[in-house]
Amino acid sequence: MCGIAGFCNFKEDFEENTDYWNFRLEKMRAVLAHRGNDARGRFLKKHIGLSHSRLAIRDILCGDQPMTRTHNGYDYTICYNGEIYNTDELIPELSENGFVCSTTSDTEVILYAYIHWGADFVNRLNGIFAFAIWDAAKNRLLLYRDRVGVKPLFYAIRGDSLVFGSEPKACFAHPAVKPELDKQGLQELLAIGPAHTSGLSLFKDLFEVLPGHFMIYSQDGLHDETYWELTSREHTESYWDTVAHTRFLVEDAIKRQMVSDVPVCTFLSGGIDSSIVTAIAANYMNTRGKTLNTFSFDFKDNDRYFKANAFQPERDLPYVNRMLEEYETAHSYLECDENSLFKALFAAVDAKDMPGMTDVDSSLLYFCSLVSRKNKVALTGECADEIFGGYPWFYRKELLERYGFPWSSDVAPRLALLRDDVGLELDLSGYQAFRYEESRSKAPLLYGEAGEDESRRIIGYLNIKWFMQTLLDRMDRTSMYSELEARVPFADHRIIEYVFNVPWHMKYQNGVEKTLLRDAFSDVLPPELLHRKKSPYPKTYHPGYEALLIKGMEEILDSPNAPVRTLIDADKTREFLKAPAEYGSPWFGQLMAGPQLIAYFIQINYWMEKYQLSA
């Protein structure tokens, strides 16, 4: 993985002032150095500038970027962040047509594939990616993003300039792009955050390339092209054929994503998703005479303070240990204390350039910083719940029938700390409903689908387009902040396309969520894991963490210049701080309850201070 950034302007000649524009490219690259600092590169021509900060994973010696290749007298240059897992399938046809790779990097394969097949070559790729290609033959810049948005790519149009980068901070390093906050940004932040509408950011006029899209910038302007979208179709396979098909797709994705010129590890949470990934990866490594590194995460004193609830019924540790009895790995138990967790709340905003899932983000950021000391590539179990229907809103009737985004359908908790006039001005309920209806209307329904079948189709679509995207954003920023490449085998587009169309009764046999996945891997999981109820990512219940949050918010309330004071009601907030924490009623997802609401506004205050934003 890497960081990419650049700019394009067809009415400006950057070669007239190369020192200045090379300096700007270096500034844009430098703020992304945490994404990879193994090598750095720049490319500057008349109308285009590209910069690259590299995390060397494949072809360590010869894979530096930006990479240029010449064909029929014209130069083509790529600046790329990601991994392609099917290069071996692309190379033979490219070779037959005279495109001979001089490196073993996937970067060169992408560039030759574009030259050979044209702009829609992206349909042939299996992987996670965000990249820019400068085509000197057609005098145009192309920006690509993978099908489900695993890798980020932001852009802004300022006058005749297009500016882009892997993270917002790279765009802000360009002189024409400044961080601003408008009404829509506040509505995104307070009505649906920490999720956000696909294609938008919280900053005014700063956008994302949509997942499954590529954009072409030329003298004719900016054009957006869709190359992939979820579709609905009839499922005709029997249950056990579906199980076998699922097994093949998931195992194939895991094995493909083991490709690397540096050692690969896995996150082992003790849930069925990460356990499946670990089991397949461990066997893959063992057949090659190597031992897989695995990492589990927990919080200091969690054995003492853990509080079981409907969303998190039990601890993960016993199940991690059971997997370690079954599979030979080099395992590390990682632990985070309450002070490190609180401190990382601010680093998580630095990583994402926006407030996020508070300690759900900050804990993962902290753990990834520890993993990165031993490994540069990690496989995770992320995305299985969104795809296979693991969340309670897929099967609990009262959640299935509730209006709105099922992970955040009630806006009332978000108003608990806000000034009344702010809530009225922003119309948070109306904005949330607008975004929900907008997305719901795009869900691809089968003809004749109605009732619960229609509801589950819509919820499945919304989970992939919204909730999964939020978790993928979290995974990318928290891992890449410490130069760790996190891969997500379950987000393979072949798995998503297939399982999206599997009937619910196959996913929820005998009232058990994710039965299809359990049956597909019944021979690799110990019985305790195979029949375990879902338990989400771990969180702390330490009272010391709550005390730190309360103290942090009180300091904000005591500071008249704290920017978030323009949004929150001091009296309501002080009263809220007196109330006992409620862990069983999340206001976002399954993990963000009372303490996380306090943490969210602490993050908002820090974010507004950092970027000098005003409401």
Side-chain angles (χ1 to χ4, degrees):
M1 297 298 172
C2 308
I4 67 172
F7 44 77
C8 183
N9 187 324
F10 294 100
K11 294 184 178 180
E12 186 159 3
D13 185 349
F14 298 124
E15 293 181 319
E16 290 182 351
N17 194 353
T18 56
D19 288 345
Y20 175 79
W21 290 111
N22 274 319
F23 168 77
R24 283 296 173 184
L25 286 172
E26 174 56 22
K27 293 282 285 186
M28 296 174 78
R29 184 213 66 79
V31 298
L32 296 174
H34 55 271
R35 296 184 68 90
N37 213 14
D38 293 329
R40 63 186 67 181
R42 294 192 306 269
F43 174 86
L44 186 68
K45 294 295 182 181
K46 185 174 183 179
H47 299 306
I48 183 70
L50 303 173
S51 64
H52 189 265
S53 198
R54 186 184 184 206
L55 181 65
I57 303 297
R58 297 168 71 175
D59 199 341
I60 309 301
L61 297 179
C62 301
D64 288 351
Q65 300 179 46
M67 181 180 288
T68 299
R69 294 294 181 265
T70 302
H71 181 69
N72 291 338
Y74 291 99
D75 288 342
Y76 300 82
T77 303
I78 185 172
C79 195
Y80 160 55
N81 166 35
E83 295 292 341
I84 305 303
Y85 305 123
N86 67 328
T87 52
D88 290 346
E89 297 164 17
L90 303 175
I91 289 173
E93 183 174 342
L94 292 173
S95 298
E96 289 173 6
N97 285 274
F99 297 98
V100 179
C101 292
S102 58
T103 74
T104 59
S105 72
D106 51 348
T107 309
E108 189 174 22
V109 176
I110 295 172
L111 192 52
Y112 280 148
Y114 167 77
I115 296 169
H116 178 55
W117 284 302
D120 62 356
F121 83 102
V122 66
N123 289 293
R124 299 172 181 264
L125 301 183
N126 180 303
I128 54 178
F129 50 82
F131 55 83
I133 292 178
W134 172 249
D135 181 339
K138 295 183 177 180
N139 201 34
R140 65 183 188 177
L141 173 70
L142 299 96
L143 301 177
Y144 289 84
R145 195 167 179 214
D146 64 64
R147 292 171 178 83
V148 295
V150 179
K151 292 290 102 183
L153 188 54
F154 293 86
Y155 72 94
I157 298 289
R158 296 293 186 270
D160 296 310
S161 290
L162 182 147
V163 182
F164 69 90
S166 295
E167 298 173 8
K169 58 177 67 70
C171 296
F172 297 146
H174 187 280
V177 185
K178 305 297 181 186
E180 296 180 73
L181 180 61
D182 60 5
K183 180 178 179 179
Q184 180 177 264
L186 283 169
Q187 289 173 317
E188 289 278 316
L189 177 73
L190 299 173
I192 57 179
H196 68 271
T197 303
S198 188
L200 301 181
S201 76
L202 299 184
F203 297 101
K204 181 182 178 182
D205 295 329
L206 179 70
F207 307 100
E208 282 187 290
V209 177
L210 287 165
H213 286 233
F214 66 89
M215 308 188 83
I216 302 174
Y217 190 56
S218 68
Q219 290 174 309
D220 296 328
L222 183 64
H223 301 278
D224 189 352
E225 301 283 344
T226 303
Y227 71 88
W228 184 84
E229 184 55 277
L230 272 174
T231 58
S232 295
R233 61 180 183 273
E234 293 286 351
H235 185 80
T236 59
E237 293 178 335
S238 69
Y239 179 69
W240 290 110
D241 284 344
T242 302
V243 168
H245 197 155
T246 300
R247 169 65 175 256
F248 167 76
L249 289 173
V250 174
E251 189 165 358
D252 185 66
I254 295 168
K255 289 179 178 178
R256 283 176 183 265
Q257 296 190 27
M258 294 296 291
V259 61
S260 174
D261 291 335
V262 298
V264 176
C265 70
T266 66
F267 294 171
L268 177 59
S269 71
I272 65 170
D273 311 328
S274 69
S275 296
I276 288 170
V277 173
T278 295
I280 301 304
N283 287 338
Y284 180 93
M285 295 284 280
N286 290 342
T287 60
R288 287 155 178 77
K290 299 178 181 179
T291 301
L292 178 73
N293 283 349
T294 55
F295 298 88
S296 61
F297 312 143
D298 206 347
F299 295 91
K300 181 185 176 185
D301 298 328
N302 218 18
D303 55 339
R304 180 180 174 188
Y305 294 112
F306 176 80
K307 299 177 183 179
N309 57 66
F311 294 102
Q312 202 157 33
E314 57 191 348
R315 295 185 65 207
D316 291 331
L317 184 60
Y319 297 93
V320 171
N321 291 336
R322 182 65 184 90
M323 275 296 292
L324 296 178
E325 293 173 3
E326 200 79 13
Y327 292 93
E328 181 185 353
T329 75
H331 189 73
S332 298
Y333 295 93
L334 303 181
E335 191 175 77
C336 181
D337 61 49
E338 64 274 18
N339 291 300
S340 298
L341 183 63
F342 180 79
K343 182 179 179 181
L345 282 174
F346 307 98
V349 176
D350 295 338
K352 198 174 183 180
D353 296 318
M354 306 176 204
M357 295 182 71
T358 64
D359 47 70
V360 185
D361 282 2
S362 63
S363 59
L364 186 58
L365 182 141
Y366 178 78
F367 291 134
C368 286
S369 72
L370 302 181
V371 173
S372 68
R373 298 173 186 177
K374 293 186 177 181
N375 283 86
K376 294 172 73 171
V377 180
L379 267 62
T380 79
E382 204 75 80
C383 301
D385 287 312
E386 291 79 12
I387 297 163
F388 287 91
Y391 293 115
W393 45 75
F394 279 97
Y395 52 83
R396 282 172 50 183
K397 187 175 178 63
E398 73 277 13
L399 296 177
L400 185 64
E401 294 178 349
R402 185 184 293 174
Y403 179 83
F405 296 115
W407 51 86
S408 183
S409 59
D410 184 6
V411 77
R414 298 166 176 272
L415 300 171
L417 308 187
L418 289 180
R419 287 169 37 185
D420 292 340
D421 60 325
V422 171
L424 288 172
E425 169 70 19
L426 296 178
D427 185 19
L428 301 186
S429 294
Y431 188 79
Q432 188 182 88
F434 164 68
R435 289 303 184 192
Y436 171 70
E437 290 292 346
E438 177 186 57
S439 298
R440 176 190 172 96
S441 68
K442 297 176 183 178
L445 301 177
L446 278 176
Y447 178 76
E449 229 168 17
E452 286 194 358
D453 290 337
E454 178 185 12
S455 296
R456 285 202 179 90
R457 176 78 69 177
I458 291 170
I459 283 181
Y461 179 81
L462 294 176
N463 268 265
I464 290 169
K465 291 294 184 177
W466 278 86
F467 199 67
M468 191 171 87
Q469 184 63 63
T470 304
L471 298 182
L472 289 173
D473 288 346
R474 160 183 171 257
M475 183 61 72
D476 174 82
R477 299 321 183 278
T478 57
S479 60
M480 293 302 295
Y481 193 67
S482 297
E483 296 186 87
L484 176 69
E485 175 184 305
R487 299 178 179 179
V488 279
F490 284 108
D492 186 300
H493 71 278
R494 299 169 303 159
I495 298 173
I496 295 173
E497 290 169 348
Y498 181 73
V499 178
F500 181 68
N501 288 291
V502 172
W504 176 248
H505 69 84
M506 291 188 178
K507 300 174 187 175
Y508 194 66
Q509 295 266 309
N510 303 315
V512 178
E513 76 277 4
K514 293 160 66 174
T515 313
L516 175 61
L517 187 61
R518 297 173 196 266
D519 284 347
F521 289 91
S522 60
D523 60 324
V524 304
L525 295 180
E528 297 90 335
L529 265 293
L530 188 64
H531 303 296
R532 187 189 181 192
K533 289 289 291 181
K534 173 180 167 50
S535 188
Y537 178 82
K539 64 183 288 184
T540 186
Y541 297 84
H542 199 296
Y545 178 63
E546 291 178 33
L548 288 169
L549 292 175
I550 292 170
K551 180 182 177 183
M553 180 55 75
E554 287 175 340
E555 290 175 353
I556 290 172
L557 294 175
D558 290 339
S559 173
N561 296 321
V564 80
R565 288 287 302 273
T566 61
L567 299 174
I568 61 175
D569 183 296
D571 292 336
K572 288 166 64 174
T573 303
R574 291 187 193 279
E575 192 64 28
F576 187 88
L577 297 181
K578 297 176 185 177
E582 174 54 64
Y583 288 98
S585 301
W587 56 274
F588 185 84
Q590 300 176 90
L591 298 175
M592 297 183 69
Q596 287 68 42
L597 186 63
I598 301 170
Y600 192 55
F601 279 92
I602 290 173
Q603 283 194 326
I604 291 173
N605 188 69
Y606 175 72
W607 175 65
M608 294 177 73
E609 281 183 340
K610 177 174 182 174
Y611 288 105
Q612 299 180 333
L613 301 169
S614 57

